[in-house]
Amino acid sequence: MSYDGRDVVNIGDFSRQDFEVLFEKAAFMEILDKDEAAEILKGYVVACLFFEPSTRTSNSFQSAAQKLGASVLTPPFNLKQKELDMTSLQKGESFEDTIAMFDGYTDVIVIRHPEIGSAQKAADVAKNPVINGGDGPNQHPTQTLLDLYTMHKSKGTAENLKLAMVGDLKYGRTVHSMAVALKHFSPAYVALVSPKELKMPEKYVEILKETGAEVVETEKIEDASPDIDFMYVTRIQKERFENPAEYEKLKGVYQIGLDTLKHFNKNVKIMHPLPRVDEIKTEMDKTSNALYFEQAQNGIPVRMALLALVTGN
Ligand code: NCD
């Protein structure tokens, strides 16, 4: 499928070639002269509609759009009740009407919303491309693009990797998207490390097994193979718990530190979509294993590439 005019809602729609085109374009964005970059989306307007908290995704999309010369609209949808009263949503406007209106004002919509399927709902209404910045616990396709780009850059390939996913595999949308995307990269080994209450949903475990990878589910980090290339750590998704006591019981369950590294090969890279709470100790930050800040930074070229591609530029 060509990128021009395309919605990016479900990472399952991506082909291997789509990933390769994106990686190549992102690498190009990294070396592109600032003035040349600023010509690419000159005159375009990008809407960042965030109905849920976001720091990285929202701001990196804004930065990417601005580096390409576009302007951005960031309506205040992620607000407390009192502030929400100021917007039309509070007047009873439907989600569909809000999307239709922003579709008319802008050239691309980036949306984050707590409901599963919300990005698809927006894509069904909008004529211009819609990019999913996270739909509840379902998917976060652009995070997966930057995660795989980071692995590809770090290892020279995203193929045949050995990895561990650690933490909240039940509610973490980043690991769900990753599980779906990995079918194009023939992973050799995937350890799924979580408390039993936060196990990876069965459908994603099945998808991972279909890749031919050796898939291991465990509660202990030390049970993962010492040979892993990447340890992908996730935050316990507090906001998804119906019962706060359950969150209190599970928070802090994994805290990766220098001690943890002893179990793994010295080149293991630690990744995290961020924000972290306490699942990676700050003592890790200066080690050569820490890849998470570089990973976050890769969000800029990857999102620049994606915005340029979906607008046909
Ligand atoms: C992630 C998300 O929103 O799913 N954050 C991000 O976009 N970088 C991970 C998280 O919030 O834990």
Side-chain angles (χ1 to χ4, degrees):
M1 204 198 290
S2 145
Y3 269 102
D4 191 358
R6 172 177 182 173
D7 300 313
V8 178
V9 169
N10 178 352
I11 201 75
D13 297 340
F14 272 62
S15 67
R16 171 67 194 243
Q17 207 205 345
D18 292 333
F19 284 100
E20 273 163 22
V21 168
L22 196 279
F23 292 171
E24 206 175 298
K25 191 86 162 180
F28 172 70
M29 291 298 178
E30 292 203 48
I31 54 165
L32 189 62
D33 173 81
K34 278 196 164 77
D35 291 336
E36 279 178 65
E39 290 297 315
I40 295 176
L41 289 189
K42 195 173 171 186
Y44 282 74
V45 184
V46 176
C48 287
L49 309 185
F50 280 70
F51 297 87
E52 246 193 5
S54 172
T55 306
R56 264 146 295 271
T57 306
S58 166
N59 286 286
S60 65
F61 261 115
Q62 290 179 52
S63 171
Q66 287 170 2
K67 281 173 182 274
L68 293 171
S71 318
V72 290
L73 297 186
T74 55
F77 290 146
N78 173 38
L79 294 174
K80 305 234 157 43
Q81 195 56 44
K82 187 161 150 272
E83 296 156 319
L84 248 184
D85 289 350
M86 308 277 287
T87 73
S88 288
L89 284 177
Q90 204 48 37
K91 294 184 187 167
E93 185 177 55
S94 72
F95 176 78
E96 284 82 353
D97 284 5
T98 302
I99 298 299
M101 193 193 65
F102 277 97
D103 187 40
Y105 291 171
T106 64
D107 302 288
V108 181
I109 291 176
V110 181
I111 182 168
R112 169 173 289 188
H113 194 284
E115 235 174 72
I116 294 175
S118 49
Q120 186 56 54
K121 216 154 97 180
D124 291 342
V125 174
K127 293 189 199 71
N128 289 320
V130 169
I131 299 178
N132 182 3
D135 60 328
N138 187 35
Q139 279 215 10
H140 195 347
T142 69
Q143 181 69 42
T144 300
L145 293 173
L146 79 88
D147 292 342
L148 283 163
Y149 179 67
T150 301
M151 293 179 186
H152 166 86
K153 251 174 82 174
S154 166
K155 272 260 147 197
T157 175
E159 193 102 28
N160 280 123
L161 296 175
K162 293 185 180 169
L163 38 120
M165 299 186 199
V166 178
D168 187 346
L169 307 185
K170 179 179 179 186
Y171 296 120
R173 53 192 168 199
T174 63
V175 282
H176 298 163
S177 297
M178 176 64 81
V180 173
L182 281 174
K183 70 177 177 210
H184 296 299
F185 298 94
S186 316
Y189 170 90
V190 183
L192 301 171
V193 184
S194 72
K196 57 184 182 318
E197 295 87 346
L198 299 176
K199 278 175 71 162
M200 183 71 104
E202 204 43 45
K203 77 168 179 180
Y204 296 113
V205 178
E206 285 310 310
I207 288 172
L208 283 168
K209 285 184 179 158
E210 280 163 23
T211 66
E214 182 189 351
V215 178
V216 175
E217 289 186 271
T218 173
E219 289 184 47
K220 288 211 207 93
I221 296 184
E222 297 77 29
D223 287 348
S225 161
D227 290 339
I228 50 171
D229 303 295
F230 295 97
M231 183 185 293
Y232 190 100
V233 185
T234 63
R235 177 179 66 88
I236 309 292
Q237 307 279 298
K238 182 180 182 182
E239 66 277 27
R240 310 279 177 226
F241 283 75
E242 277 171 26
N243 177 1
E246 178 85 347
Y247 170 74
E248 289 301 318
K249 197 179 94 194
L250 294 168
K251 74 173 188 195
V253 57
Y254 302 117
Q255 297 190 6
I256 315 296
L258 297 174
D259 276 4
T260 322
L261 285 183
K262 290 186 194 142
H263 296 273
F264 297 95
N265 78 80
K266 66 178 184 356
N267 295 321
V268 65
K269 297 288 182 205
I270 312 295
M271 296 178 68
H272 192 304
L274 302 179
R276 69 174 153 186
V277 181
D278 52 11
E279 51 291 342
I280 301 178
K281 294 183 185 161
T282 51
E283 67 190 27
M284 294 290 294
D285 296 357
K286 292 272 187 288
T287 66
S288 60
N289 308 88
L291 195 58
Y292 32 95
F293 292 125
E294 193 180 321
Q295 176 188 359
Q297 240 172 46
N298 285 334
I300 301 290
V302 165
R303 288 174 170 134
M304 285 171 82
L306 198 59
L307 289 170
L309 285 165
V310 298
T311 52
N313 287 286

